[in-house]
Structure formats: C-alpha cells, structure tokens
C-alpha cells in the first residue's frame, strides 16, 4: 500500500471512529463482564487507541510505540480487573477491535498486506501486552494480600486459646501438691509444656512471616480507642489464680480513663505475656502494671514491673529475640516476648527492659494515644 493510501486509511479510521466504536461495543457486550456496562465505561481508552493507530499509519514506521499508549493500556488493565473481567476477556476485547478495523479495510477495498498489517498488529498487540501485564501483576498482588490476611487471621485465632492453655498448665503445675506429682503426672505436664512451646513457636513464625511479607505491618493493625485500665483489669482477674498460686500481689495502677488508639487484641496479648512472665519470675513478690500519657499527646507509655528474680546482664540484649528462651526454665521469656516486640513495633512503638539480678525487672512499651 502506498504512503497516500496509508494516510487515506488513517483518515478513514478517524472519520468512521464512532461507527467502529459502535461495532466494537456490539462484539464486546457478548462478554459476560461487559453486559451491563455503560458506554463511557465500556469505551474506556479505545477511542484514544484508534487515534494512536491512525497516527502510526500516518507515520508509516515499524518503530515500537511509547508514550500515551502505555499509560492508557496500563490503566485499562487495572480498570478491567476492577470491573470483573478475566484475562481472556481483556484479550478478547482488543481482538474484537482488530476485527472491526480489518472489516473496515475490506469494506473499502483496501489491502491488509505489508505495513498496514504490521502496524495494526503492532499497535493492538502492544496494547494487549501492557494491559495483560498490568492486570496479572495487580491480580497477583491481590492474591498475596488475601494470603497475608489469612495468615493474620490464623495468628489472631491462635493467640487466645494458646495463652489460656499455657496459663492453665502453669496454674495446674503450681497447684498440684508435690506429693501428688507422680511420674505419670510429671510426664503429662512436661508433654503439655513442650507442645505449648511448639505451638507458640509456630505463632511467632506466622507473625514474623507477616512482617516479612509486608514491611508496613502497622497497616494491618485494627486500631480503635481502648480503655487501658479496663483491659488490664480483665487480664488481672483472669490471671488472679496464677498470682495466688505464686503468693504474689498483682496490682493494676493504670489511671481510670486513660486510653490508647490501638488494636485491643494485640495490646491485650502484650500485657498478658508481660504479666504472665512477671508472675512466673516473682514468687512471694509483687507485680505492678502501670501506664501514663507520654511526653507528647500522641503516645502512652505502659509498663509491667516486678521485684522478682531479675534477668542476668548477658541476657538483657536477647530477651526480645525470636525463640530466645531462658535456658533454666521450660516456659521462660523467649516466645512471648518475641510476640510482644512484634506487636509493639506494629503500632509504631518501642519496647525495652530494665532489670537487676535479684531485684526485679520492668518492661516498658509505647503505643499511640487515644487522644492523639
């Protein structure tokens, strides 16, 4: 086809644009996802694509196109995914456009051979490639997000029953008289402790995987206003039997009305792990839970202090490490504190510990304020 005819075809496409679009819509409306779409939504970037095709025919070049076509096709792929198209339907609508353009050429006794055929195929195939690539990338991202949400639900559902089993095991061991702990009872308690540890390890791994998969872990936190005194008071009541078995005084000194803007489930588990650890290491002593508004209105500082055994200096730097545990105890400070660190950092806060061997320990952490 001569250069003049290439220009003539470009002019024909522009002149017959509305007819081409109407014929194209008739074809595309046969796709399940397109039945109910209005004209502007269905057209999307196709009018611009026809203009790009006319420009390419006038340019009469085999160079690959760049610029506006890329932008339009990328947006088109995302839009079609949002509207419920599958990838085969995205390809089909571009091929339908190819078909109506070819029919236009035949109706006007023009030739599809040579540069015309190459140009039409290049423009439409490039559009298909860009749209499908974007569609597939976004689809993969959504699948990944659903997987992350599933991991979050699994971890959340395991927290409460696992903590309850761990506390029950500690309470059972503390309340059974030594004379009643025969070899079989001791073996059963050991099995319970061991398997709680294994399950706790799995929860920590799930939480760690969540953080690794998504750097912005705080986007997963379900924040709301939380009354800290009421939350801790409920925990104190649940842990009272364990405290009584260790003959210690468990005190909630959080001021009434102090609130945080945080995930209630996560904050509950943070306090639960810290209080449980303190009880475990403070027989015949005292555990105090406190909190105050931070130096700025945006944060609340919380702490759990005890006058128990304390932590050796060589372990202070490791207590929050994943799977780091006290070698002298079956249910030490490792797994629970790894979760504490994960959840505090998910809120954008910090956690620390001060301790002196034989004098006790104080764990502190910060979370967003309910008034910030």
């Amino acid at each position: 086809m001569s250069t003049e005819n290439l220009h003539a075809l470009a002019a024909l496409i522009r002149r017959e644009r509305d007819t081409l679009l109407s014929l194209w819509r008739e074809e595309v409306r046969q796709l399940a996802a397109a039945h109910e779409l209005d004209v502007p939504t269905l057209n999307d970037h196709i009018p611009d694509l026809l203009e790009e095709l006319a420009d390419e025919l006038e340019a009469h070049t085999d160079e690959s196109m760049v610029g506006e076509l890329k932008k339009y096709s990328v947006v088109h792929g995302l839009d079609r995914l949002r509207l419920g198209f599958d990838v085969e339907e995205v390809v089909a609508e571009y091929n339908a456009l190819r078909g109506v353009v070819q029919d236009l050429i035949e109706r006007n006794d023009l030739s599809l051979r040579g540069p015309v055929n190459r140009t039409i195929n290049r423009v439409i195939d490039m559009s298909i490639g860009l749209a499908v690539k974007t569609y597939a990338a976004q689809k993969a991202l959504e699948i990944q997000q659903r997987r992350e949400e599933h991991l979050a639900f699994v971890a959340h559902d395991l927290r409460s029953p696992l903590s309850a089993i761990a506390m029950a095991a500690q309470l059972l061991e503390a309340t059974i008289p030594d004379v009643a702990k025969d070899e079989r009872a001791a073996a059963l308690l050991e099995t319970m402790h061991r398997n709680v540890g294994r399950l706790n390890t799995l929860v920590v791994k799930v939480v760690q995987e969540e953080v690794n998969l998504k750097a912005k872990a705080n986007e997963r936190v379900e924040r709301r206003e939380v009354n800290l005194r009421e939350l801790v008071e409920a925990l104190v009541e649940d842990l009272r039997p364990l405290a009584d078995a260790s003959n210690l005084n468990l005190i909630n000194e959080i001021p009434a009305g102090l609130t945080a803007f945080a995930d209630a489930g996560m904050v509950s588990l943070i306090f639960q792990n810290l209080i449980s650890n303190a009880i475990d290491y403070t027989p015949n002593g005292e555990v105090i839970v406190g909190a105050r508004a931070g130096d700025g209105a945006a944060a609340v500082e919380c702490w759990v202090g005890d006058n128990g055994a304390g932590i050796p200096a060589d372990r202070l730097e490791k207590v929050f490490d994943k799977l780091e545990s006290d070698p002298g105890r079956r249910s030490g400070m490792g797994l629970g504190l790894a979760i504490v660190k994960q959840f505090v950092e998910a809120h954008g806060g910090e956690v620390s510990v001060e301790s002196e061997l034989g004098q006790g320990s104080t764990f502190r952490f910060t979370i967003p304020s309910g008034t910030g």
Side-chain angles (χ1 to χ4, degrees):
M1 178 177 278
S2 68
T3 301
E4 288 183 2
N5 286 334
L6 284 169
H7 282 239
L9 177 56
L12 181 62
I13 288 174
R14 290 191 176 104
R15 187 170 65 249
E16 298 292 329
R17 191 194 74 154
D18 290 344
T19 300
L20 288 171
L21 287 171
S22 178
L23 293 170
W24 173 79
R25 288 194 298 269
E26 288 180 16
E27 292 286 333
V28 175
R29 286 197 188 279
Q30 297 178 36
L31 302 175
H35 284 333
E36 305 299 327
L37 297 182
D38 58 36
V39 170
T41 302
L42 189 59
N43 278 352
D44 195 44
H45 84 123
I46 301 302
D48 298 303
L49 181 56
L50 286 172
E51 184 62 31
E52 290 285 352
L53 176 57
D55 289 344
E56 286 292 304
L57 289 166
E58 288 180 335
H60 184 29
T61 175
D62 289 335
E63 297 292 328
S64 295
M65 293 189 311
V66 293
E68 291 301 307
L69 175 60
K70 182 175 181 180
K71 180 179 72 174
Y72 291 140
S73 297
V74 165
V75 173
H76 185 77
L78 295 174
D79 184 66
R80 282 343 196 202
L81 175 61
R82 179 182 61 82
L83 292 172
F85 281 60
D86 60 34
V87 71
E88 290 83 4
E89 290 173 321
V90 174
V91 174
E93 63 176 345
Y94 280 107
N95 283 331
L97 183 65
R98 192 195 318 264
V100 297
V101 172
Q102 290 173 346
D103 289 344
L104 175 69
I105 293 171
E106 292 176 4
R107 287 197 306 272
N108 288 271
D109 297 322
L110 300 176
S111 174
L112 265 172
R113 291 178 297 177
V116 171
N117 190 47
R118 288 197 300 271
T119 300
I120 292 172
N121 286 334
R122 186 176 72 250
V123 171
I124 293 179
D125 289 347
M126 182 179 289
S127 297
I128 291 174
L130 290 168
V132 168
K133 181 179 179 180
T134 307
Y135 179 103
Q138 183 64 26
K139 187 73 171 179
L141 178 61
E142 291 181 2
I143 292 172
Q144 178 74 4
Q145 289 172 338
R146 285 197 294 271
R147 179 176 181 271
E148 291 178 21
E149 289 171 1
H150 176 69
L151 286 174
F153 289 143
V154 169
H156 184 274
D157 290 344
L158 285 175
R159 291 171 201 155
S160 296
L162 183 56
S163 297
I165 293 170
M167 285 190 295
Q170 293 179 44
L171 181 57
L172 185 61
E173 186 172 33
T175 54
I176 295 178
D178 290 339
V179 294
K181 291 180 182 176
D182 58 17
E183 184 175 341
R184 177 173 173 76
L188 290 173
L189 287 169
E190 176 63 30
T191 298
M192 186 179 298
H193 283 299
R194 185 172 60 252
N195 283 282
V196 166
R198 287 175 178 170
L199 288 173
N200 216 341
T201 299
L202 290 175
V203 171
V204 171
K205 287 181 178 179
V206 168
V207 173
Q208 184 63 53
E209 186 172 359
E210 284 186 77
V211 174
N212 291 341
L213 285 171
K214 188 174 184 182
K216 295 181 180 179
N218 61 337
E219 291 183 6
R220 189 174 293 124
V221 178
E222 298 179 4
R223 301 171 190 269
R224 63 179 178 82
E225 191 171 71
V226 179
N227 186 303
L228 292 176
R229 181 174 179 82
E230 292 178 0
L231 181 147
V232 169
E233 195 61 33
L235 286 174
V236 167
E237 290 303 311
D238 289 343
L239 293 168
R240 185 73 66 189
L242 192 60
D244 292 343
S246 295
N247 194 34
L248 64 81
N249 193 18
L250 179 56
I251 305 170
N252 178 8
E253 291 188 349
I254 297 179
L258 183 61
T259 62
F261 187 62
D263 186 306
M266 287 187 176
V267 174
S268 179
L269 193 65
I270 290 168
F271 274 115
Q272 182 172 296
N273 277 311
L274 293 178
I275 297 170
S276 296
N277 280 336
I279 292 173
D280 196 29
Y281 283 81
T282 315
N284 306 306
E286 185 174 78
V287 174
I288 298 176
V289 184
R292 67 179 181 86
D295 294 334
V300 174
E301 181 186 11
C302 307
W303 62 87
V304 176
D306 65 67
N307 59 356
I311 304 170
D314 62 351
R315 289 198 61 244
L316 274 177
E317 297 295 325
K318 303 177 182 178
V319 293
F320 296 107
D321 291 351
K322 186 175 66 172
L323 306 184
E324 175 66 23
S325 59
D326 184 347
R329 301 203 177 200
R330 285 191 298 263
S331 55
M333 297 183 179
L335 299 171
L337 293 183
I339 294 176
V340 166
K341 185 174 187 290
Q342 294 279 355
F343 291 168
V344 170
E345 291 180 349
H347 284 82
E350 297 179 352
V351 62
S352 63
V353 58
E354 306 160 3
S355 186
E356 185 175 345
L357 200 60
Q359 300 298 313
S361 305
T362 299
F363 286 84
R364 299 181 185 276
F365 64 93
T366 57
I367 51 178
S369 168
T371 58

